[in-house]
Coordinates of all heavy atoms in Angstrom, one line a residue:
D1 N 35.4 92.0 -40.4 CA 34.6 92.9 -41.2 C 33.3 92.3 -41.5 O 32.8 92.4 -42.7 CB 35.3 93.5 -42.4 CG 34.6 94.7 -43.0 OD1 34.1 95.5 -42.2 OD2 34.6 94.8 -44.2
L2 N 32.7 91.6 -40.6 CA 31.4 90.9 -40.8 C 30.5 91.2 -39.6 O 31.0 91.4 -38.5 CB 31.6 89.4 -40.9 CG 32.3 88.9 -42.2 CD1 32.6 87.4 -42.1 CD2 31.6 89.3 -43.5
S3 N 29.2 91.1 -39.8 CA 28.3 91.3 -38.7 C 27.0 90.6 -39.1 O 26.7 90.2 -40.2 CB 28.0 92.8 -38.4 OG 27.5 93.4 -39.6
G4 N 26.1 90.4 -38.0 CA 24.8 89.8 -38.3 C 24.9 88.4 -38.8 O 25.8 87.6 -38.4
P5 N 24.0 88.0 -39.7 CA 23.9 86.7 -40.2 C 25.2 86.3 -41.0 O 25.6 85.1 -41.0 CB 22.7 86.7 -41.2 CG 21.9 87.9 -40.7 CD 22.8 88.9 -40.2
E6 N 25.9 87.2 -41.6 CA 27.1 86.9 -42.3 C 28.2 86.4 -41.3 O 28.9 85.4 -41.6 CB 27.6 88.1 -43.1 CG 26.8 88.5 -44.2 CD 27.4 89.7 -45.0 OE1 28.3 90.4 -44.4 OE2 26.9 90.0 -46.1
L7 N 28.3 87.0 -40.2 CA 29.2 86.6 -39.2 C 28.8 85.2 -38.6 O 29.7 84.3 -38.5 CB 29.3 87.6 -38.1 CG 30.2 87.2 -36.9 CD1 31.7 87.1 -37.4 CD2 30.2 88.3 -35.8
D8 N 27.6 85.0 -38.4 CA 27.1 83.7 -37.9 C 27.4 82.6 -38.8 O 27.9 81.5 -38.5 CB 25.6 83.8 -37.6 CG 25.3 84.7 -36.4 OD1 26.2 85.0 -35.6 OD2 24.1 85.3 -36.4
A9 N 27.2 82.9 -40.1 CA 27.4 81.8 -41.1 C 28.9 81.5 -41.2 O 29.3 80.4 -41.4 CB 26.9 82.3 -42.5
Y10 N 29.8 82.6 -41.1 CA 31.2 82.4 -41.2 C 31.7 81.6 -40.0 O 32.5 80.7 -40.2 CB 31.9 83.7 -41.3 CG 33.3 83.7 -41.7 CD1 33.6 83.8 -43.1 CD2 34.4 83.5 -40.8 CE1 35.0 83.7 -43.5 CE2 35.7 83.4 -41.3 CZ 36.0 83.5 -42.6 OH 37.3 83.5 -43.0
V11 N 31.2 81.9 -38.8 CA 31.6 81.2 -37.6 C 31.2 79.7 -37.7 O 31.9 78.8 -37.3 CB 31.1 81.8 -36.4 CG1 31.3 81.0 -35.1 CG2 31.7 83.2 -36.2
E12 N 30.0 79.5 -38.2 CA 29.5 78.1 -38.4 C 30.4 77.3 -39.4 O 30.6 76.1 -39.2 CB 28.0 78.1 -38.8 CG 27.4 76.8 -38.9 CD 26.0 76.8 -39.4 OE1 25.4 77.9 -39.5 OE2 25.4 75.7 -39.6
K13 N 30.8 78.0 -40.4 CA 31.7 77.4 -41.4 C 33.0 77.0 -40.8 O 33.6 75.9 -41.1 CB 31.9 78.3 -42.6 CG 32.7 77.6 -43.7 CD 32.8 78.6 -44.9 CE 33.7 79.8 -44.5 NZ 34.0 80.6 -45.7
L14 N 33.5 77.8 -39.8 CA 34.7 77.5 -39.2 C 34.6 76.3 -38.2 O 35.6 75.7 -37.7 CB 35.3 78.7 -38.4 CG 35.7 79.9 -39.3 CD1 36.1 81.1 -38.4 CD2 36.9 79.5 -40.1
G15 N 33.4 76.0 -37.8 CA 33.1 75.0 -36.8 C 33.3 75.4 -35.4 O 33.4 74.6 -34.5
W16 N 33.2 76.7 -35.1 CA 33.3 77.3 -33.8 C 32.0 77.4 -33.2 O 31.0 77.6 -33.9 CB 34.0 78.6 -33.8 CG 35.4 78.6 -34.3 CD1 36.2 77.5 -34.7 CD2 36.3 79.7 -34.5 NE1 37.4 77.8 -35.1 CE2 37.5 79.2 -35.0 CE3 36.2 81.1 -34.4 CZ2 38.6 80.0 -35.4 CZ3 37.2 81.9 -34.7 CH2 38.4 81.4 -35.2
T17 N 31.9 77.3 -31.9 CA 30.6 77.4 -31.2 C 30.4 78.8 -30.6 O 31.4 79.4 -30.1 CB 30.5 76.3 -30.1 OG1 31.6 76.5 -29.2 CG2 30.6 74.9 -30.7
V18 N 29.1 79.2 -30.5 CA 28.8 80.5 -30.0 C 27.8 80.3 -28.8 O 26.8 79.6 -28.9 CB 28.1 81.4 -31.1 CG1 27.8 82.8 -30.5 CG2 29.0 81.5 -32.3
D19 N 28.1 81.0 -27.7 CA 27.2 81.0 -26.6 C 26.2 82.1 -26.8 O 26.5 83.3 -26.8 CB 28.0 81.3 -25.3 CG 27.1 81.1 -24.0 OD1 25.9 81.3 -24.1 OD2 27.7 80.7 -23.0
A20 N 25.0 81.7 -27.1 CA 23.9 82.7 -27.4 C 23.7 83.7 -26.3 O 23.3 84.9 -26.5 CB 22.6 82.0 -27.8
S21 N 23.8 83.3 -25.0 CA 23.5 84.2 -23.9 C 24.6 85.2 -23.7 O 24.3 86.4 -23.3 CB 23.3 83.4 -22.6 OG 24.5 82.6 -22.3
T22 N 25.9 84.9 -23.9 CA 27.0 85.8 -23.6 C 27.6 86.3 -24.9 O 28.3 87.4 -24.9 CB 28.1 85.1 -22.8 OG1 28.6 84.0 -23.5 CG2 27.5 84.6 -21.5
G23 N 27.4 85.7 -26.0 CA 28.0 86.2 -27.3 C 29.5 85.8 -27.4 O 30.2 86.4 -28.2
V24 N 29.9 84.9 -26.6 CA 31.3 84.4 -26.6 C 31.5 83.3 -27.5 O 30.7 82.3 -27.5 CB 31.8 84.1 -25.2 CG1 33.2 83.5 -25.2 CG2 31.7 85.3 -24.2
I25 N 32.5 83.4 -28.4 CA 32.7 82.3 -29.3 C 33.9 81.5 -28.8 O 35.0 82.0 -28.5 CB 33.1 82.9 -30.7 CG1 31.9 83.7 -31.2 CG2 33.5 81.8 -31.7 CD1 32.1 84.5 -32.5
T26 N 33.8 80.2 -28.8 CA 34.8 79.3 -28.3 C 35.7 78.8 -29.5 O 35.1 78.3 -30.5 CB 34.2 78.1 -27.6 OG1 33.4 78.5 -26.5 CG2 35.3 77.1 -27.1
V27 N 37.0 79.0 -29.4 CA 37.9 78.6 -30.4 C 38.4 77.2 -30.0 O 38.9 77.0 -28.9 CB 39.1 79.6 -30.5 CG1 40.1 79.1 -31.6 CG2 38.6 81.0 -30.8
P28 N 38.3 76.2 -30.9 CA 38.8 74.9 -30.5 C 40.2 74.9 -30.2 O 41.0 75.7 -30.7 CB 38.5 74.1 -31.8 CG 37.5 74.9 -32.5 CD 37.7 76.3 -32.2
P29 N 40.6 74.0 -29.2 CA 42.0 73.9 -28.8 C 42.9 73.5 -30.0 O 42.5 72.6 -30.8 CB 42.0 72.9 -27.7 CG 40.8 72.1 -27.9 CD 39.8 73.0 -28.5
N30 N 44.1 74.0 -30.0 CA 45.1 73.7 -31.0 C 46.5 73.9 -30.4 O 46.6 74.5 -29.3 CB 44.9 74.5 -32.3 CG 45.1 76.0 -32.1 OD1 46.2 76.5 -31.9 ND2 43.9 76.7 -32.0
P31 N 47.6 73.4 -31.0 CA 48.9 73.5 -30.3 C 49.3 75.0 -30.0 O 50.1 75.2 -29.1 CB 49.8 72.9 -31.4 CG 49.0 71.9 -32.1 CD 47.6 72.6 -32.2
D32 N 48.8 75.9 -30.7 CA 49.2 77.3 -30.6 C 48.5 78.0 -29.4 O 49.0 78.9 -28.7 CB 49.0 78.1 -31.8 CG 49.9 77.7 -33.0 OD1 51.0 77.3 -32.6 OD2 49.5 77.7 -34.1
N33 N 47.2 77.7 -29.2 CA 46.5 78.4 -28.1 C 46.4 77.7 -26.8 O 45.6 78.1 -25.9 CB 45.1 78.8 -28.6 CG 44.2 77.6 -28.8 OD1 44.6 76.4 -28.6 ND2 42.9 77.8 -29.2
Q34 N 47.1 76.5 -26.7 CA 47.1 75.8 -25.4 C 48.5 76.0 -24.7 O 49.5 75.7 -25.3 CB 46.9 74.3 -25.7 CG 45.6 73.9 -26.3 CD 44.4 74.3 -25.4 OE1 44.4 73.9 -24.3 NE2 43.5 75.2 -25.9
I35 N 48.4 76.6 -23.5 CA 49.6 76.9 -22.7 C 49.9 75.6 -21.9 O 49.2 75.2 -21.0 CB 49.4 78.1 -21.8 CG1 49.0 79.3 -22.6 CG2 50.6 78.3 -21.0 CD1 48.7 80.5 -21.8
E36 N 51.0 75.0 -22.3 CA 51.5 73.8 -21.6 C 53.0 73.9 -21.3 O 53.8 74.3 -22.2 CB 51.2 72.5 -22.4 CG 49.7 72.2 -22.7 CD 49.6 71.0 -23.5 OE1 50.6 70.4 -23.8 OE2 48.4 70.6 -23.7
S37 N 53.3 73.7 -20.0 CA 54.7 73.8 -19.6 C 55.4 72.6 -20.2 O 54.9 71.4 -20.1 CB 54.8 73.8 -18.1 OG 54.3 72.7 -17.5
T38 N 56.6 72.8 -20.6 CA 57.4 71.7 -21.2 C 58.8 71.7 -20.5 O 59.4 72.8 -20.4 CB 57.7 71.9 -22.7 OG1 56.4 72.0 -23.4 CG2 58.5 70.8 -23.3
V39 N 59.1 70.6 -20.0 CA 60.4 70.4 -19.3 C 61.3 69.6 -20.2 O 61.0 68.5 -20.6 CB 60.2 69.7 -17.9 CG1 61.6 69.5 -17.2 CG2 59.3 70.4 -17.0
V40 N 62.4 70.2 -20.5 CA 63.4 69.6 -21.3 C 64.6 69.2 -20.5 O 65.2 70.0 -19.8 CB 63.9 70.5 -22.5 CG1 65.0 69.9 -23.3 CG2 62.7 71.0 -23.3
Q41 N 64.9 67.9 -20.5 CA 66.0 67.3 -19.7 C 67.0 66.7 -20.7 O 66.7 66.1 -21.6 CB 65.5 66.2 -18.8 CG 64.6 66.8 -17.6 CD 64.2 65.7 -16.7 OE1 64.4 64.5 -17.0 NE2 63.7 66.1 -15.6

């Protein structure tokens, strides 16, 4: 529920990066958003 400068300031506070040309925000990798296959033997 944010837009404009408020959204930019919030994203900057989170430490996320924004691609100014595409408007895509990159979320840093973390154990939850990284898909890695795990083999349990």
Side-chain angles (χ1 to χ4, degrees):
D1 194 37
L2 295 174
S3 61
E6 291 182 345
L7 177 60
D8 295 336
Y10 196 91
V11 171
E12 183 179 358
K13 183 178 69 173
L14 293 173
W16 298 356
T17 58
V18 184
D19 189 333
S21 60
T22 61
V24 175
I25 299 173
T26 301
V27 180
N30 60 78
D32 292 325
N33 67 358
Q34 296 299 301
I35 302 176
E36 296 181 359
S37 60
T38 303
V39 179
V40 178
Q41 293 183 347

